[in-house]
Amino acid sequence: MGSARGGGSLLIPVKTQHRVAIIGNPNTGKSSVFNALTGLSQRVGNYPGVTVDKTTGVLAPGVDLVDLPGTYSLAARSPDEMVAVRVLLGDLEEEPQPDLVVVVIDASNLQRNLYLATQVMELGLPVVIVLNMVDVADRAGVHVNARGLAKALGVPVVPTVASRRFGAEELRSVIVKQLDAPPPDPGWSWPEPIRRELEALESRFLFDRFLLGRALIDEGGSVERLLDARSGGTLLPALEDARVRIRATGSTPVRLESAMRHTWIRGAIAPFLAETEHGRSLSQRIDDVLVHRLFGMPIFAAVLFVVFLAIFGMARPFTTAISGWFAGIGDAVVHLFAGTSLAGGALESLIVDGALAGVGGVLVFLPQIVFLFLFVAMMEDCGYMARAAFLMDRILRLFGLSGMSFIPLLSSFGCAVPAILATRVIADRRDRIATLLVAPLMSCSARIPVYTLMIAAFIPARNVAGFLPLQGLVFGAMYVVGVIVAIPVAIVLKRTLLRGAGNTFVMEMPSYTAPNPRSVAMRVYQRAWAFVKQAGTIIFFMSIVVWALGYFPRPASITADYQAGVRSAEERLDGAEREEELLRIESERDGAFLRQSFLARAGHFIEPVVAPLGWDWKIGMATLASFPAREVVVSTLNVIYDLGNGAENREALIGTLRSARRDDGSPAFTIPVALSLMVFFALCIQCGASLAAIRRETVSWRWPLFTFGYMTAIAWLGAFATHQIFVRIL
């Protein structure tokens, strides 16, 4: 391995496409700088061979800008940070090394942010420093002489307020001019113990000097593991010997590096940094309330309550509209095939019941997910999300997680797929896997149709204690049950399979700012589109598989009975009465086909397993059909009870479920059965997209299989306990 720098060719090719990488600490406004420079030209994808998102945009003709994951240093601990290092070194396959690196710095936290900048300046690439949020720094009494700082660092420094696009054009011009500039000459020298050991390592291993340095300093880090694997296990013993010799000098590699950089930075910026006493800043005064040890959590809980109310209230019209659109498309397909040999055939069913039902089943929840992302992006942009993570850290740490787990767990209430992807921000691998394993226990939007159907059908619409609606309490309890179960699961995971030393939660508190509409909009768009692509494709595929299992075989006897019924209806009836009778016969035919399908046979096969939950084979079959996507259960129940797939059949379905009987004449559904079914759906994963996302994030089938197994087992036990308890109470 090695960088692409240098070379002795006589013919120097003219490079027609340049790449610029942008990097910075979290909460420095890096995304705002990226958005200001690229606008709508952004493209979201993945780095080759890894699961980290890659966002690129056009900075200028012939110049692409690559947004690297936020990081506090190049001491890579998380997958995101490791990708950032490998991209900067040109070590990722199919990902060329950038020609220049832009480092975004929060002007009010100059010394701390320059730590990363000094590491980047050692890469041997041209560097441009962005001194962002100079307006916030001015208000805080921090004044930076940008020209003087540029002279001290030996690289251009451009002051900006990216949220208002101030300085964006000057920055663009400076970047383009610096593309062919020589790399900076770092003005600091490594401490003698590290320099000596690095030279010894370089004489034995043909690795990049920068990576060898990081492997030596960052003990147990990603670079150490990467290089040791590439050396066939010979590097790690050499690193450990080198660290022993360094510790013999009375210090450690980490302390030596930290002291070297901070000492140099303090000396370099001192002449160009002026700080005036302004008393307590506005952000500090707001924090006195929002992160107060007594008031902070109640305020945060109130904010979440308002956000969730807004999400469900604001999304409802859009959800109804999308549902109507797909129903309309389905009707159009049926109308198109009417009168042809394809009418009522396999192709029509594949399109309407398989493809449209599968895609519609995903997109109908997109409005709620978009609104959730909107509020999350606004809280991130204004600086409150960092405070929320800080507040939740005290609670989550009791269960073995950290404050960084809060954002993914919050996102899970919208959809587990983006929540699982959001665990990439968690640096510690054990915390990250524990979080993505419990995230699906949070009640996502797809569970709502099951809850609302069962509650409307079987939970009495009366008040408890005179003013609390019982149906609302049951609905809220379904959300709480997942949270309650997630706590012991996380504790057990962190004390067994994911046991390890505790980690310190480090997060910089940014100054409060007004959310930037452009930045928020871009973030919502990117996350929503990623959901549609990643979840929609998998659910679509799984829906086709379930459709096939529920459609075949097609006995000729059922078709003959249906045709006889149709002929009889056409001879006896006319007008609206005939149409109504034909629809009834068609629904009975669909139900008859489904009840003898491969899916129904599976329902009969598992009946002994679901009987202790109070379910008959029909409920078991509907549950089986919903394993790829839990929301499928409602449409499956419609078909099982001969009501067709139309959304307008909800009231008819409620009435049918109330009057449904088992083979022995007893009611198929009771309140204990409804509660048992809801608890099962609250705790079971039943989401092919989530399992695929876990597989993708862990690069292993072990964890999705484990998740499916433990959640299904807990769901069965929870449903069994619920049924047994309420059978005895009611």
Side-chain angles (χ1 to χ4, degrees):
M1 179 178 62
S3 73
R5 300 187 296 276
S9 174
L10 294 176
L11 296 175
I12 302 175
V14 177
K15 196 168 185 178
T16 57
Q17 191 70 29
H18 292 279
R19 292 176 73 81
V20 174
I22 183 168
I23 194 169
N25 288 188
N27 300 318
T28 55
K30 180 172 67 70
S31 296
S32 296
V33 174
F34 182 80
N35 291 334
L37 292 174
T38 59
L40 297 176
S41 68
Q42 299 177 16
R43 305 181 301 278
V44 180
N46 273 79
Y47 288 102
V50 293
T51 60
V52 176
D53 285 340
K54 180 178 77 171
T55 306
T56 58
V58 178
L59 174 78
V63 183
D64 286 341
L65 185 62
V66 182
D67 187 15
L68 295 181
T71 179
Y72 289 103
S73 80
L74 295 186
R77 294 285 176 184
S78 69
D80 286 28
E81 292 170 345
M82 190 63 209
V83 163
V85 173
R86 295 183 66 184
V87 170
L88 291 175
L89 290 165
D91 185 50
L92 269 184
E93 194 175 346
E94 301 177 22
E95 186 68 28
Q97 188 180 29
D99 302 289
L100 181 146
V101 183
V102 176
V103 184
V104 181
I105 288 175
D106 177 359
S108 60
N109 290 313
L110 191 59
Q111 178 165 337
R112 189 158 61 242
N113 285 192
L114 277 175
Y115 192 93
L116 171 65
T118 58
Q119 291 180 326
V120 173
M121 289 166 65
E122 293 173 342
L123 292 169
L125 296 170
V127 173
V128 172
I129 301 288
V130 179
L131 200 62
N132 194 32
M133 299 193 286
V134 290
D135 55 339
V136 175
D138 283 340
R139 289 197 295 271
V142 178
H143 309 287
V144 183
N145 180 338
R147 288 188 178 180
L149 184 63
K151 188 175 180 181
L153 298 176
V155 299
V157 176
V158 181
T160 65
V161 182
S163 60
R164 301 205 307 265
R165 299 176 61 81
F166 169 78
E169 290 309 313
E170 180 188 356
L171 175 60
R172 190 195 314 276
S173 174
V174 169
I175 291 173
V176 172
K177 288 178 182 175
Q178 290 293 314
L179 282 172
D180 296 319
D185 182 17
W188 54 90
S189 300
W190 282 99
E192 179 59 22
I194 291 183
R195 187 189 60 75
R196 186 172 56 244
E197 296 301 334
L198 265 179
E199 289 177 352
L201 290 169
E202 280 185 300
S203 67
R204 292 182 55 191
F205 300 95
L206 298 177
F207 292 127
D208 183 277
R209 179 182 176 84
F210 177 83
L211 281 182
L212 268 180
R214 294 267 45 102
L216 174 64
I217 296 168
D218 308 326
E219 187 173 358
S222 300
V223 176
E224 178 194 271
R225 292 195 296 272
L226 176 71
L227 297 195
D228 186 55
R230 291 183 178 181
S231 71
T234 60
L235 177 63
L236 187 56
L239 291 174
E240 290 172 346
D241 290 343
R243 289 167 188 150
V244 169
R245 288 190 290 270
I246 291 175
R247 290 193 183 98
T249 66
S251 188
T252 65
V254 173
R255 290 177 186 166
L256 287 171
E257 183 197 21
S258 177
M260 174 197 75
R261 295 193 189 282
H262 284 302
T263 301
W264 186 87
I265 292 169
R266 274 196 300 272
I269 69 175
F272 313 108
L273 178 65
E275 296 186 69
T276 55
E277 186 58 49
H278 271 213
R280 294 176 60 75
S281 66
L282 177 62
S283 289
Q284 290 172 321
R285 293 198 296 274
I286 296 175
D287 277 343
D288 287 343
V289 178
L290 295 187
V291 295
H292 189 275
R293 57 182 303 180
L294 295 179
F295 308 138
M297 280 305 297
I299 292 173
F300 175 55
V303 169
L304 284 187
F305 181 73
V306 171
V307 166
F308 275 98
L309 283 183
I311 287 172
F312 291 111
M314 295 166 70
R316 190 174 297 118
F318 298 97
T319 301
T320 304
I322 292 175
S323 179
W325 292 340
F326 276 93
I329 295 172
D331 290 343
V333 172
V334 173
H335 182 72
L336 181 67
F337 286 178
T340 71
S341 60
L342 299 175
L347 180 60
E348 180 186 298
S349 180
L350 173 63
I351 297 173
V352 177
D353 303 325
L356 290 176
V359 175
V362 174
L363 294 186
V364 76
F365 298 106
L366 184 61
Q368 290 172 342
I369 291 168
V370 166
F371 281 113
L372 174 64
F373 285 153
L374 174 65
F375 285 110
V376 169
M378 290 172 64
M379 288 196 288
E380 286 175 344
D381 227 38
C382 74
Y384 186 62
M385 191 60 83
R387 275 77 179 180
F390 169 75
L391 289 168
M392 290 302 296
D393 182 66
R394 283 179 285 183
I395 298 174
L396 292 174
R397 197 158 290 282
L398 297 174
F399 316 131
L401 304 176
S402 75
M404 295 301 293
S405 303
F406 163 70
I407 296 174
L409 293 178
L410 175 65
S411 301
S412 282
F413 286 105
C415 177
V417 174
I420 291 167
L421 303 184
T423 60
R424 297 171 183 175
V425 301
I426 303 173
D428 183 83
R429 179 178 174 276
R430 291 185 296 271
D431 282 1
R432 186 160 55 86
I433 292 179
T435 303
L436 65 85
L437 293 185
V438 300
L441 284 169
M442 306 300 112
S443 274
C444 65
S445 301
R447 288 171 166 111
I448 294 176
V450 186
Y451 298 161
T452 55
L453 176 65
M454 290 295 121
I455 289 173
F458 300 105
I459 305 301
R462 59 180 173 83
N463 290 338
V464 176
F467 68 100
L468 293 173
L470 179 60
Q471 291 184 333
L473 289 175
V474 173
F475 186 78
M478 291 304 112
Y479 276 80
V480 173
V481 71
V483 177
I484 291 176
V485 171
I487 291 172
V489 170
I491 292 174
V492 170
L493 284 172
K494 289 304 299 289
R495 292 184 180 178
T496 54
L497 297 177
L498 301 171
R499 181 171 49 198
N503 291 285
T504 303
F505 174 57
V506 178
M507 175 173 276
E508 189 170 344
M509 295 296 169
S511 300
Y512 289 104
T513 57
N516 178 261
R518 184 187 181 90
S519 175
V520 169
M522 291 299 300
R523 218 172 303 169
V524 172
Y525 165 75
Q526 290 168 357
R527 293 176 181 178
W529 182 236
F531 164 77
V532 171
K533 285 195 300 183
Q534 295 179 16
T537 52
I538 295 169
I539 289 186
F540 171 77
F541 171 76
M542 297 300 289
S543 297
I544 297 299
V545 172
V546 171
W547 167 84
L549 291 174
Y551 188 84
F552 296 106
R554 310 286 285 183
S557 59
I558 295 178
T559 303
D561 291 344
Y562 164 71
Q563 291 173 342
V566 169
R567 283 195 298 271
S568 172
E570 289 175 341
E571 291 170 359
R572 292 183 293 106
L573 307 170
D574 55 14
E577 193 177 3
R578 184 175 66 176
E579 292 302 316
E580 186 177 338
E581 179 64 8
L582 290 177
L583 281 176
R584 187 190 65 77
I585 295 172
E586 186 177 345
S587 294
E588 286 184 357
R589 178 203 60 177
D590 292 343
F593 276 132
L594 181 61
R595 286 190 287 273
Q596 57 72 54
S597 67
F598 294 125
L599 197 60
R601 297 174 193 182
H604 282 293
F605 180 74
I606 67 165
E607 191 170 16
V609 177
V610 300
L613 312 182
W615 306 357
D616 65 358
W617 70 270
K618 293 180 181 178
I619 303 176
M621 180 177 68
T623 305
L624 268 184
S626 66
F627 266 86
R630 51 181 65 88
E631 57 271 31
V632 173
V633 69
V634 177
S635 59
T636 306
L637 287 172
N638 267 317
V639 175
I640 291 173
Y641 289 101
D642 304 336
L643 296 173
N645 266 325
E648 67 277 9
N649 286 336
R650 184 173 184 273
E651 293 304 320
L653 179 59
I654 289 174
T656 301
L657 295 181
R658 286 173 176 167
S659 60
R661 291 289 183 273
R662 300 170 187 260
D663 295 338
D664 61 3
S666 62
F669 287 88
T670 60
I671 293 179
V673 170
L675 291 172
S676 166
L677 189 62
M678 283 191 284
V679 168
F680 186 88
F681 273 73
L683 300 178
C684 193
I685 188 161
Q686 294 172 295
C687 181
S690 295
L691 292 171
I694 294 174
R695 159 68 180 84
R696 190 166 174 268
E697 293 303 300
T698 59
V699 199
S700 166
W701 279 110
R702 174 191 173 195
W703 293 113
L705 290 174
F706 173 78
T707 306
F708 180 81
Y710 99 78
M711 287 188 67
T712 303
I714 288 179
W716 190 94
L717 290 172
F720 174 75
T722 301
H723 184 258
Q724 295 302 316
I725 291 171
F726 282 94
V727 159
R728 286 161 175 74
I729 293 177
L730 300 177

